[in-house]
């Protein structure tokens, strides 16, 4: 089984629901976005359209971040998920330089969401559990998957633009969508074998 | 994370070309310092071994130790540094850690054996271990950058060769400083410095030209940042003026005077530091959306 995600750019409305639900699920510190939405404009006035590109870790088959990690902190977990063992990470940030998708973050030092007011109850419960001095990234919500749930960004997508499933199964919804709608990956020239696909707008 | 850095991060995430700031800014400068010192250490050991200069070998070990401390101070979790031996099969950082350890241990033992019983087999074995470590440390830095697929400017195959050339130039610079104190012969060093400097300049020019003429927009942006953007002051002032213009002028004025030799060595080394700093800071992440052309009118 090789888990992967398909994002339908025609359905995405740029609501940031994925970004917010990811923040809520993982309690990531300020400045850390496992899932985020890039926006750009295309065309010239008056024929202009807004494009939204939701991005996250691509959980590559041949992940350069795993290759360059000196401590094996970045590793392949079950079903092709690329994850970080935060007890092994030394914070060298080589993986951040190796990732062609820029979806890794260094949690350098503690910063509260309300500077000067101390951590909120939520932050104490969620954000403060993330160790400092290490790199963080999306792990396809492994904890949720273990409970039989979908990743938070998929479950909370208001326009159901995200699909999640087994890319090795030719009959799965994700494989069918990629085949029928011409799914593509970001930066295929990097040769990393991403497992996040996009359907054209 | 200070408020200013947080705002900077958010602005970077919104930018067309997102600069990497982890290596080369804030505490990241320590990594550049570490690479700079370790490079000089490797070059100094290599040349001192060749010319038989004991003071050079001692200086190399000292610089290597300081460079290692720079690396450690940069890490988010330096107390776990020993874990970096694990992944030497694919990670150049891991290989660099092993190489530096070998260099420092072998170098210290070689010097201790040489002082106790010169010319012994133990000293030779330790010296060869240090030599193996030297070859690793002068190579690993360039390969580390080349393996960084997220930053196209560093992906050049010339990068490792350039870093090896930097190391040799740094070694010559350090020997020039030592020559000023009578620990080495300066007569052969100035021509050698000129040759190695010419090689470094040629490699750097080729790397810039390759990136500027290539199809990768992020690499082209990096070249622009160095030559005409946010890093131009460091490049023109530090690398070209201090690191090239001043030593050339001093050498032409009187390269055989001890003070001049020392100044040539120090300014040359300073220029190498600025060149490494500008190259590292010029790193721009591969954009996920290629920025559109700005239309006029």
């Amino acid at each position: 089984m090789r888990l992967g995600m398909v994002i339908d750019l025609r359905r995405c409305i740029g609501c940031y629901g994925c970004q917010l639900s990811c923040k809520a699920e993982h309690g990531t510190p300020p400045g850390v976005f496992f899932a985020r939405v890039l926006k750009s404009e295309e065309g010239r006035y008056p024929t202009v359209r807004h494009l939204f590109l939701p991005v996250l870790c691509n959980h590559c088959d041949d992940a350069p971040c795993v290759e360059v990690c000196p401590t094996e902190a970045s590793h392949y977990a079950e079903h092709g998920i690329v994850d970080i063992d935060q007890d092994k990470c030394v914070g060298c940030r080589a993986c951040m330089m190796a990732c062609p998708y820029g979806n890794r973050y260094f949690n350098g030092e503690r910063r509260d969401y309300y500077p000067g007011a101390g951590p909120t109850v939520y932050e104490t419960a969620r954000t403060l559990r993330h160790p400092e001095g290490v790199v963080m990234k999306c792990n396809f919500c492994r904890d949720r998957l273990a409970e039989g749930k979908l990743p938070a960004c998929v479950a909370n997508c208001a326009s159901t633009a995200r699909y999640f499933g087994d890319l090795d199964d030719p009959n799965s919804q994700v494989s069918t969508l990629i085949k029928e709608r011409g799914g593509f990956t970001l930066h295929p020239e990097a040769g990393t074998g991403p497992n996040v696909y996009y359907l054209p707008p | 994370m200070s408020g200013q850095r947080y705002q900077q991060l958010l602005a970077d995430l919104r930018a067309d070309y997102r600069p990497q700031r982890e290596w080369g800014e804030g505490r990241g400068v320590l990594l550049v310092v570490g690479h700079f010192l370790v490079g000089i250490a490797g070059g100094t050991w290599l040349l001192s071994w060749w010319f038989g200069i004991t003071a050079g070998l001692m200086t190399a070990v000292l610089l290597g130790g300081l460079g290692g401390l720079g690396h450690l101070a940069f890490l988010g979790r330096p107390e776990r540094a020993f874990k970096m031996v694990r992944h030497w099969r694919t990670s150049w950082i891991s290989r660099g850690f092993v190489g530096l350890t070998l260099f420092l241990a072998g170098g210290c033992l070689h010097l201790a054996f040489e002082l106790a019983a010169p010319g012994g087999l133990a000293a030779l074995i330790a010296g060869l271990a240090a030599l193996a470590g030297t070859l690793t440390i002068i190579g690993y830095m360039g390969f580390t950058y080349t393996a960084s697929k997220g930053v196209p400017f560093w992906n050049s195959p010339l990068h490792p060769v350039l870093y090896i050339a930097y190391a040799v130039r740094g070694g010559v610079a350090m020997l020039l400083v030592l020559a000023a104190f009578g620990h080495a012969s300066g007569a052969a060093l100035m021509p050698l410095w000129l040759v190695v400097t010419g090689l470094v300049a040629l490699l750097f020019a080729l790397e810039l030209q390759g990136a500027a003429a290539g199809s990768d927009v992020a690499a082209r942006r990096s070249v622009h940042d160095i030559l005409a953007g946010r890093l131009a002051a460091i490049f023109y002032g530090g690398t070209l003026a201090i690191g090239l213009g001043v030593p050339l002028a001093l050498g032409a004025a009187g390269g055989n005077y001890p003070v001049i030799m020392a100044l040539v060595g120090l300014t040359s080394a300073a220029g190498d530091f600025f060149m490494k700093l500008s190259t590292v800071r010029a790193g721009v992440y591969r954009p996920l959306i290629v920025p559109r052309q700005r239309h006029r009118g």
Side-chain angles (χ1 to χ4, degrees):
Chain A
M1 178 186 267
R2 182 168 55 100
L3 291 174
M5 192 179 288
V6 172
I7 301 174
D8 189 345
L9 297 180
R10 191 183 293 167
R11 296 184 74 97
C12 178
I13 55 172
C15 69
Y16 293 101
C18 48
Q19 189 166 319
L20 287 172
S21 60
C22 176
K23 275 246 164 231
E25 175 66 28
H26 295 280
T28 50
V32 177
F33 304 95
F34 292 172
R36 59 195 167 101
V37 181
L38 305 178
K39 287 189 174 182
S40 81
E41 288 174 13
E42 193 181 78
R44 293 180 67 179
Y45 178 83
T47 315
V48 184
R49 67 173 176 171
H50 229 141
L51 288 178
F52 308 110
L53 183 69
V55 295
L56 69 162
C57 171
N58 282 251
H59 298 275
C60 306
D61 289 335
D62 192 8
C65 55
V66 173
E67 188 178 308
V68 301
C69 178
T71 62
E72 297 176 341
S74 286
H75 64 282
Y76 297 105
E78 70 281 355
H79 309 314
I81 294 174
V82 176
D83 202 358
I84 300 173
D85 183 340
Q86 296 192 323
D87 292 331
K88 286 183 182 174
C89 180
V90 291
C92 70
R93 287 156 265 181
C95 54
M96 294 175 69
M97 306 301 150
C99 176
Y101 307 102
N103 284 320
R104 286 176 165 245
Y105 298 86
F106 180 65
N107 188 21
E109 57 196 60
R110 198 186 118 189
R111 184 177 187 279
D112 298 326
Y113 272 103
Y114 300 94
T120 60
V121 176
Y122 175 80
E123 285 176 284
T124 305
R126 306 298 301 278
T127 308
L128 294 183
R129 68 184 177 172
H130 295 295
E132 291 156 25
V134 298
V135 174
M136 310 167 73
K137 67 177 259 317
C138 155
N139 64 359
F140 268 168
C141 291
R142 280 175 73 192
D143 293 343
R144 288 176 62 94
L145 293 180
E147 295 170 5
K149 298 176 183 170
L150 287 168
C153 58
V154 179
N156 291 286
C157 180
S159 58
T160 56
R162 290 180 179 237
Y163 306 88
F164 190 73
D166 181 8
L167 292 170
D168 278 344
D169 176 2
N171 298 316
S172 66
Q173 188 184 25
V174 283
S175 298
T176 309
L177 281 169
I178 292 167
K179 198 161 47 188
E180 291 180 352
R181 297 268 311 274
F184 64 93
T185 59
L186 298 177
H187 290 313
E189 77 282 3
T192 58
N195 284 317
V196 173
Y197 285 78
Y198 294 86
L199 302 179
Chain B
M1 189 189 291
S2 69
Q4 194 179 359
R5 282 203 69 193
Y6 178 62
Q7 294 304 325
Q8 178 75 72
L9 172 66
L10 295 184
D12 287 348
L13 286 172
R14 284 193 289 263
D16 286 343
Y17 296 98
R18 181 180 161 202
Q20 75 78 23
R21 298 190 190 273
E22 295 296 340
W23 289 0
E25 291 188 20
R27 259 175 75 177
V29 172
L30 291 169
L31 181 72
V32 183
V33 171
H35 280 180
F36 167 69
L37 291 175
V38 164
I40 290 190
T44 306
W45 180 277
L46 211 58
L47 293 171
S48 301
W49 179 271
W50 181 259
F51 290 121
I53 305 167
T54 306
L57 297 177
M58 289 178 173
T59 307
V61 171
L62 181 67
L63 290 172
L66 290 173
L69 288 176
H71 280 79
L72 283 179
F74 160 73
L75 293 177
R77 292 294 182 116
E79 72 277 10
R80 298 175 182 167
F82 66 93
K83 293 184 178 179
M84 291 200 291
V85 297
R86 300 172 81 120
H87 212 185
W88 58 271
R89 286 182 189 83
T90 64
S91 166
W92 275 103
I93 289 186
S94 187
R95 289 169 192 159
F97 181 75
V98 173
L100 186 57
T101 306
L102 198 62
F103 169 70
L104 291 175
C108 288
L109 285 174
H110 172 77
L111 289 169
F113 289 137
E114 275 295 319
L115 290 173
L121 182 64
L124 180 66
I125 292 170
L128 289 174
L131 195 61
T134 304
L135 296 175
T136 309
I137 59 174
I138 64 174
Y140 101 91
M141 293 170 285
F143 283 110
T144 297
Y145 289 113
T146 303
S148 300
K149 284 190 175 182
V151 182
F153 178 55
W154 299 340
N155 284 161
S156 165
L158 282 176
H159 222 72
V161 187
L162 184 61
Y163 265 74
I164 292 169
Y166 278 143
V168 177
R169 190 172 116 112
V172 178
M174 196 43 60
L175 290 192
L176 279 167
V177 175
L178 291 174
F181 294 96
H183 293 294
S185 166
L189 289 174
M190 278 307 291
L192 183 60
W193 180 85
L194 279 171
V195 170
V196 177
T197 297
L199 180 67
V200 166
L202 176 68
L203 288 168
F204 192 66
L206 284 173
E207 183 168 271
L208 288 184
Q209 198 276 336
S215 61
D216 197 293
V217 290
R220 289 208 299 269
R221 176 61 179 230
S222 295
V223 175
H224 172 268
D225 284 349
I226 289 178
L227 298 180
R230 59 195 168 97
L231 298 160
I234 295 177
F235 178 67
Y236 292 115
T239 305
L240 290 188
I242 296 175
L244 193 62
V246 173
L248 280 174
L250 287 170
N256 289 328
Y257 289 104
V259 178
I260 299 287
M261 282 194 291
L263 283 174
V264 168
L266 290 173
T267 51
S268 168
D272 283 357
F273 173 76
F274 287 120
M275 193 185 267
K276 286 185 176 178
L277 186 67
S278 57
T279 308
V280 172
R281 284 190 175 176
V284 172
Y285 289 114
R286 201 182 285 266
L288 292 171
I289 298 176
V290 176
R292 69 196 175 112
Q293 296 288 320
R294 307 287 179 205
H295 296 285
R296 289 170 188 270

